[in-house]
Amino acid sequence: MSTATAVPAPYRLTSRGILRSEWHKLWTLRSTWIMLGVASVFTVVLGMILAATYTPSPEDEIDPVMYALLGTQVGQVTIAVLGILLTAGEYSTGMVRATMTAVPRRLPVLWAKTTVFTTVALLTLLVTNFVTFPLAELFLGGTDLEASFKDPGVVRALAGSAAGTTLIGVIVLGLGSALRSIPGTIGAYVGGLILLPQLATMIPNDTVQDLLNYFPLPAAESLAALHTTSGDLAPGTGLLALCAWAVASLAAAAILLRRRDV
């Protein structure tokens, strides 16, 4: 009498499994909690301090949303650093070898990292912004910066600020995957996204100045602005510009990921 030997089911690699793996890796990093915590706490605390010490000045036209969310400038840096650690950081630790061995096609890993990062960053920033603004308005009520969620454009600006910062993080995430170096990616972020546009403002050429509005940081500012001024990008145009930068960064990362050895 013969006995049948049970054959184990073959290992199946699914998109859901890759997403779950990247989600788990993100939350097991101590840096994730630190970066998200710094971005949220600094935005809320600085917003309340600025609101509590605000002195109206008839000579200055200040955007109430951008004033309350001034701490997001630090948030942009911490979210960008988180994107760097999620990609370039994995190369620095050598964990990427195990990841790519488990997922030989490679590209699903990049898409999973991008999806997890975008979801976590966007939700964190949305909650932070929608908490910071009403807290700041507790002190700004009765001043020229008094505003509420019911005012036209406020909700859009709060959500736009979160989306802009998240997309900058996605751009840097793509750079981290392409450069595979934490110092190199930080240098590219600081030099290319922050310093280069500042230096280019010194070029006395109207075309150059108009093109600078389409760079990531100015485009992100247009999403967070309650009111646009002459020469600034409209929020919709700014969003398209940021999406184009993000797509270009991820496309470069995807091409290099397929062509190079781990």
Side-chain angles (χ1 to χ4, degrees):
M1 182 177 180
S2 62
T3 57
T5 303
V7 179
Y11 171 73
R12 292 186 59 190
L13 189 64
T14 64
S15 298
R16 183 176 179 180
I18 299 171
L19 277 170
R20 189 186 303 114
S21 173
E22 293 302 325
W23 178 269
H24 178 71
K25 282 194 289 185
L26 177 69
W27 288 113
T28 52
L29 290 174
R30 184 182 303 173
S31 57
T32 299
W33 298 92
I34 295 174
M35 294 299 105
L36 294 179
V38 169
S40 298
V41 172
F42 196 91
T43 300
V44 173
V45 172
L46 183 59
M48 294 183 67
I49 292 175
L50 290 174
T53 58
Y54 173 69
T55 301
S57 175
E59 299 179 356
D60 299 327
E61 293 185 4
I62 301 176
D63 188 309
V65 174
M66 295 187 71
Y67 185 81
L69 299 182
L70 196 61
T72 56
Q73 294 183 5
V74 174
Q76 282 186 353
V77 175
T78 57
I79 293 299
V81 170
L82 180 59
I84 293 171
L85 295 177
L86 191 60
T87 50
E90 194 165 348
Y91 282 93
S92 67
T93 61
M95 184 182 291
V96 68
R97 296 186 183 89
T99 299
M100 296 309 175
T101 299
V103 189
R105 293 173 59 190
R106 298 188 179 187
L107 289 187
V109 174
L110 178 61
W111 309 143
K113 286 183 183 294
T114 305
T115 301
V116 169
F117 172 83
T118 302
T119 301
V120 171
L122 182 59
L123 290 178
T124 300
L125 294 170
L126 281 173
V127 172
T128 300
N129 290 357
F130 278 87
V131 168
T132 303
F133 178 73
L135 289 177
E137 285 298 326
L138 292 175
F139 300 95
L140 295 174
T143 70
D144 58 324
L145 296 186
E146 181 177 5
S148 70
F149 290 126
K150 296 180 181 179
D151 294 338
V154 168
V155 172
R156 189 272 307 158
L158 292 171
S161 173
T165 300
T166 300
L167 284 169
I168 288 175
V170 172
I171 294 169
V172 180
L173 180 147
L175 289 176
S177 178
L179 297 177
R180 301 184 175 188
S181 165
I182 292 178
T185 309
I186 292 176
Y189 166 60
V190 174
L193 271 69
I194 298 177
L195 295 182
L196 180 61
Q198 294 295 326
L199 294 175
T201 58
M202 295 186 292
I203 300 176
N205 184 283
D206 292 338
T207 302
V208 172
Q209 301 307 313
D210 290 338
L211 289 175
L212 286 177
N213 290 329
Y214 293 88
F215 273 68
L217 294 185
E221 289 182 4
S222 72
L223 293 182
L226 185 58
H227 304 293
T228 57
T229 59
S230 177
D232 292 337
L233 293 182
T237 306
L239 179 61
L240 288 175
L242 276 173
C243 288
W245 281 103
V247 169
S249 176
L250 292 174
I255 293 172
L256 292 175
L257 187 61
R258 290 292 300 270
R259 292 184 175 180
R260 296 188 301 190
D261 293 332
V262 177

